Amino acid sequence: MKVVVSVGGSVLAPELDADRVSAFADVINELVSDGCQVAAVVGGGGVARDYIGTARELGANEIELDQLGIDVTRLNARLLIAALGENVVTAPAKNYEEAGEVMRNGDVCVMGGVAPAQTTDAVGAAVAEYVGADLLVYATSVPGVFSADPNEDEDAEKYDQLSAEELVEVIAGLEMNAGSSAPVDLLAAKIIQRSGMRTIVLDGNDPTRVLEAVRHGKHEGTDIIPAGTGDELTYWAE
Ligand code: UTP
């Protein structure tokens, strides 16, 4: 089973904490022991936002800001690489072809961003599409996909299950509300829709939730089940 795990920067490294990064690495190593081929995509979190905010004040243009963001995602990816030990790529994969090659060689792929004007949400979906993953898991700082931003709206409801079309609609609605943050962005939702990628969005603050979701399909987040995909047990490692 091929799995792509997209880990938000604010989930992997809200502040620098070796134990937290190790806990994610342990989960990935356990999946590898189960026989999974794994790619991890790592976000930039608050550090990326701080750099981008400061560089914006200094007059950097949007592409330069994106490049800064990409550099920070790759720094976080290097932290995870440091924690993973052997059988892992030595530096973050810089594009999808490199990611595919690493996985073909049987190693764990770790990467951050790849190109300006997107986020690692889209990278996760694109690399999952590229390597033909069976499952894409977003380990985010929110517990799933909600009808509105749960931090802003107390009536926001979590969806247990969505089709890919519904995901696109919900995310498009959320992105229209300035300031409200969606757990995955619209480009990622569109890629999930076109690839028919089976996807789970969950609270990654406890990384063992990722393990439970991949192994048994059990989680308290949101299942994205594109048309034509079932919930057959073949998706799960055991
Ligand atoms: P993130 O993926 O962490 O962005 O990339 P985010 O979604 O804003 O962060 P979370 O999910 O809330 O933690 C950080 C920044 O890096 C640039 C973008 O500017 C993004 O905002 N980036 C990242 C790219 O330009 N391209 C990429 O492929 C990835």
Side-chain angles (χ1 to χ4, degrees):
M1 174 171 175
K2 274 187 211 155
V3 188
V4 174
V5 183
S6 177
V7 187
S10 47
V11 170
L12 183 76
E15 67 273 333
L16 289 180
D17 174 2
D19 289 343
R20 193 162 171 114
V21 180
S22 278
F24 265 100
D26 289 348
V27 163
I28 291 172
N29 281 330
E30 289 219 34
L31 289 176
V32 171
S33 311
D34 287 350
C36 291
Q37 286 176 275
V38 185
V41 180
V42 181
V47 177
R49 274 192 293 277
D50 288 349
Y51 268 87
I52 287 171
T54 305
R56 184 174 276 128
E57 278 181 43
L58 293 169
N61 66 44
E62 289 301 314
I63 300 290
E64 289 172 322
L65 298 179
D66 285 339
Q67 292 290 4
L68 252 182
I70 292 170
D71 285 347
V72 177
T73 63
R74 289 179 176 164
L75 278 180
N76 282 339
R78 283 186 188 273
L79 273 183
L80 188 56
I81 289 170
L84 275 165
E86 299 202 337
N87 303 326
V88 60
V89 65
T90 52
K94 289 188 287 306
N95 56 51
Y96 303 117
E97 287 174 349
E98 259 184 55
E101 214 169 300
V102 171
M103 289 187 79
R104 273 191 202 174
N105 289 337
D107 288 335
V108 174
C109 174
V110 180
M111 64 196 298
V114 295
Q118 60 176 27
T119 73
T120 51
D121 293 346
V123 176
V127 77
E129 181 173 60
Y130 187 80
V131 302
D134 300 288
L135 182 64
L136 167 62
V137 180
Y138 285 99
T140 74
S141 49
V142 282
V145 182
F146 284 72
S147 56
D149 186 341
N151 298 318
E152 305 281 319
D153 184 347
E154 59 183 28
D155 295 329
E157 276 177 44
K158 181 164 67 71
Y159 299 105
D160 291 334
Q161 190 173 313
L162 290 170
S163 67
E165 283 68 28
E166 288 168 336
L167 176 72
V168 169
E169 262 175 49
V170 170
I171 300 295
L174 288 175
E175 288 199 354
M176 291 208 356
N177 297 326
S180 104
S181 60
V184 296
D185 62 26
L186 190 55
L187 181 55
K190 288 275 197 186
I191 298 170
I192 290 167
Q193 182 185 28
R194 84 170 180 191
S195 62
M197 183 60 56
R198 178 71 193 248
T199 304
I200 296 171
V201 180
L202 51 71
D203 179 351
N205 281 305
D206 175 357
T208 60
R209 292 192 190 122
V210 173
L211 201 54
E212 191 61 9
V214 177
R215 280 184 170 162
H216 308 293
K218 286 197 192 123
H219 62 88
E220 291 182 359
T222 302
D223 271 312
I224 318 297
I225 307 186
T229 55
D231 51 2
E232 310 88 45
L233 288 172
T234 49
Y235 279 100
W236 319 118
E238 42 182 78

